[in-house]
Amino acid sequence: MKVAFAAAVLALAAGMVEIVVPGRALYHLGWYNVAIAAVAIVGLAAARRAARTAATRARRVAAVAIAGATLVGSIAVVASGLFAPDNHTVVAAPGETLVESAFGVHLAFPPLDAGGVPPTTVTADGRTIAGRGVDLGSVVARVVLRRVVAVRAFDRRGAALTVTQPSGSSFLSPILLMQAHQTIDGLDLPYDAFAVPPARRSVRAVLFSPAQAALMRTMTPNNHGAVLLEVNDDRDRPLAHGIALVPSGETRAVGGLRVHVTVLRYPAVRLMAAPSAWALGLAAALAVLAGAAIARDARGTRAAADKGPAA
């Protein structure tokens, strides 16, 4: 019985660890899941022997409950490890709602408020999530704050111009999500692009972190970084004075435009597969039932021993 109970506890512990510390590559490795399955097989065999040789009904019930806990817990862990999707970070524009089909999670990203303070939470399946992971049943969701760039464009007289993102997820959003990357002088830099149709301009924006921007002698140090703008015409031809490095929070004249950039922290959502919380709850309940049955049998045995042999 001890071997069977230990197997059930190991399966449960593995599942709980994957929920509390989600997203580790270990959980999807074949050998790890084979080891969990092997422990479960040994435990099930031990529980079967215990049920067949049980001297009392309580012991038999305990053996069956332990077998159930081992089976349910190990299946939940192995199914998540072998068949669940890999970790995925969902990036979306402010105000966008979508369903991440691989995980079946509905996400609602908050708009930027009028005060310009970036939000730090996202709604997932109707629940508000932040930096700490939230278990949604068979997936753990966690907010990850990442750098995005808000842009505004003006003509030489200061009149505001419409900004679009023809290749972005949100056509009229002034927020560049900076999902692509390129290498410049050994630096890995995120970049994005936008267009200014009234001025017939296309603009490429490359984001420098504060540490990267500090390496440039012409930069005034700040805590938010800077954006390198490259402005072309509507046929993607370079323009005179079409390149400028703009510190966050400032406006620069470049390629016939005046462009204001602000580097913000906006939430993305990290989705990580985890064993079903319902399955682990059922396995835990079965383990408790087994423990209660064993304790009841032990009390009955002690009571019989205290009475002594019948006269």
Side-chain angles (χ1 to χ4, degrees), residues 92-242:
E96 188 174 356
T97 61
L98 54 90
V99 176
E100 181 55 40
S101 57
F103 291 90
V105 176
H106 182 275
L107 299 170
F109 289 81
L112 295 176
D113 63 25
V117 179
T120 58
T121 62
V122 174
T123 301
D125 286 349
R127 298 177 61 182
T128 300
I129 60 173
R132 296 184 61 185
V134 174
D135 183 15
L136 301 177
S138 59
V139 57
V140 175
R142 176 180 296 163
V143 158
V144 179
L145 295 179
R146 56 188 303 276
R147 284 187 174 88
V148 300
V149 178
V151 294
R152 290 185 291 163
F154 308 89
D155 62 19
R156 289 189 176 93
R157 292 173 296 182
L161 301 173
T162 300
V163 171
T164 65
Q165 293 187 60
S167 60
S169 60
S170 183
F171 182 74
L172 288 175
S173 174
I175 303 297
L176 307 181
L177 299 179
M178 315 305 289
Q179 295 188 77
H181 284 256
Q182 70 177 72
T183 301
I184 300 177
D185 291 336
L187 299 177
D188 180 43
L189 302 170
Y191 72 90
D192 211 328
F194 64 96
V196 187
R200 297 183 178 180
R201 296 289 190 267
S202 63
V203 185
R204 181 183 176 90
V206 181
L207 176 61
F208 289 78
S209 69
Q212 292 165 340
L215 299 175
M216 303 179 185
R217 297 179 180 177
T218 58
M219 269 289 301
T220 301
N222 66 57
N223 295 324
H224 303 287
V227 179
L228 179 67
L229 300 177
E230 178 186 342
V231 181
N232 298 324
D233 65 15
D234 56 355
R235 296 185 180 180
D236 207 29
R237 295 176 299 192
L239 296 171
H241 308 292

Side-chain angles (χ1 to χ4, degrees), residues 1 47 50-52 54-69 286-294 296-297:
M1 188 74 79
R52 294 177 63 181
T56 64
R57 183 174 179 273
R59 286 274 175 177
R60 191 174 300 110
V61 169
V64 172
I66 288 174
L286 289 171
V288 170
L289 173 62
I294 291 172
R296 180 178 179 181
D297 180 73

